[in-house]
Amino acid sequence: MKKITAFWDSSALVPLCIHESGSRRAHLYLRKFDPVVWWATYVEVHSAICRLHREHEIDDANKQGAVARLRLLSRGWREIFPDDQVRDLAVEMLDNYILRAADALQLAASLIWCQKRSSPRNFICADRRLAQAAASAGFSVLEIPSANP
C-alpha cells in the first residue's frame, strides 16, 4: 500500500532521530505519511541534534546514531527548494501569524507544496505556534508532543 505524503516540520523529525516524548507518535506518523520537507530541514534537525549534544542531553554515541538516522530519513523525503515564491510567501506568513523567520519559511514551503490548497493536506509538527499557524492556513495538523513545549 502506497503511503500518502504530508508536510513535516523540522520539529516533527527530531523525535525520529532522538528518543524523546514524541518519538512513538512520530514513528506512527512516519508509517502513514511520506515526508515532504523544506529545503533547510536537514540543517535544522542537525542543529537540534548538535544542541542536545552540547547541552549533554545526549552522548557521543547517541549523537552519531541520531545523525545516521537523519541521513537515512533524508534519502526518502521530498524537499521544497528555495525560490522567490517561497520567500515572498514567508514574508506574507510573518505578516499574518506570530512566527519566527524559519517557521515562516516552513509554512510557506508547505503551501507551495500543496499549491496553496492546504485543505485537506496534513502538516506534522511539534511546535505549538507553528501548528496553530498551519491550522489557520487550512492544514489538518497532526501534532507531536514536544520535549520542549
Side-chain angles (χ1 to χ4, degrees):
M1 184 171 124
K2 185 178 179 199
K3 292 193 286 186
I4 58 174
T5 56
F7 191 88
W8 288 67
D9 173 52
S10 299
S11 66
L13 294 166
V14 172
L16 293 172
C17 299
I18 296 173
H19 183 73
E20 57 181 51
S21 61
S23 293
R24 184 167 182 244
R25 185 167 305 162
H27 284 286
L28 289 172
Y29 288 153
L30 187 61
R31 285 188 203 102
K32 275 182 84 171
F33 303 104
D34 281 330
V36 176
V37 303
W38 162 235
W39 169 78
T41 293
Y42 190 97
V43 174
E44 290 183 9
V45 176
H46 194 273
S47 172
I49 293 166
C50 289
R51 179 184 51 79
L52 291 168
H53 184 255
R54 276 191 309 277
E55 293 173 356
H56 305 288
E57 303 223 7
I58 60 172
D59 60 21
D60 292 344
N62 283 320
K63 178 186 177 190
Q64 289 175 349
V67 170
R69 284 185 287 281
L70 174 59
R71 259 190 240 112
L72 185 62
L73 267 174
S74 72
R75 290 187 200 145
W77 68 38
R78 177 177 160 218
E79 287 185 6
I80 304 302
F81 294 100
D83 63 14
D84 291 348
Q85 188 178 15
V86 173
R87 182 193 58 216
D88 294 345
L89 194 51
V91 169
E92 187 179 320
M93 297 300 101
L94 291 170
D95 287 335
N96 294 332
Y97 307 108
I98 301 169
L99 294 172
R100 295 175 296 254
D103 290 338
L105 286 162
Q106 292 271 358
L107 187 53
S110 69
L111 287 164
I112 296 302
W113 160 64
C114 67
Q115 300 172 336
K116 298 184 184 177
R117 291 190 295 272
S118 51
S119 181
R121 299 293 190 129
N122 292 301
F123 189 103
I124 302 173
C125 187
D127 179 287
R128 180 165 287 142
R129 188 178 296 169
L130 180 55
Q132 289 172 344
S136 293
F139 285 98
S140 175
V141 176
L142 302 172
E143 291 194 62
I144 294 175
S146 173
N148 304 318

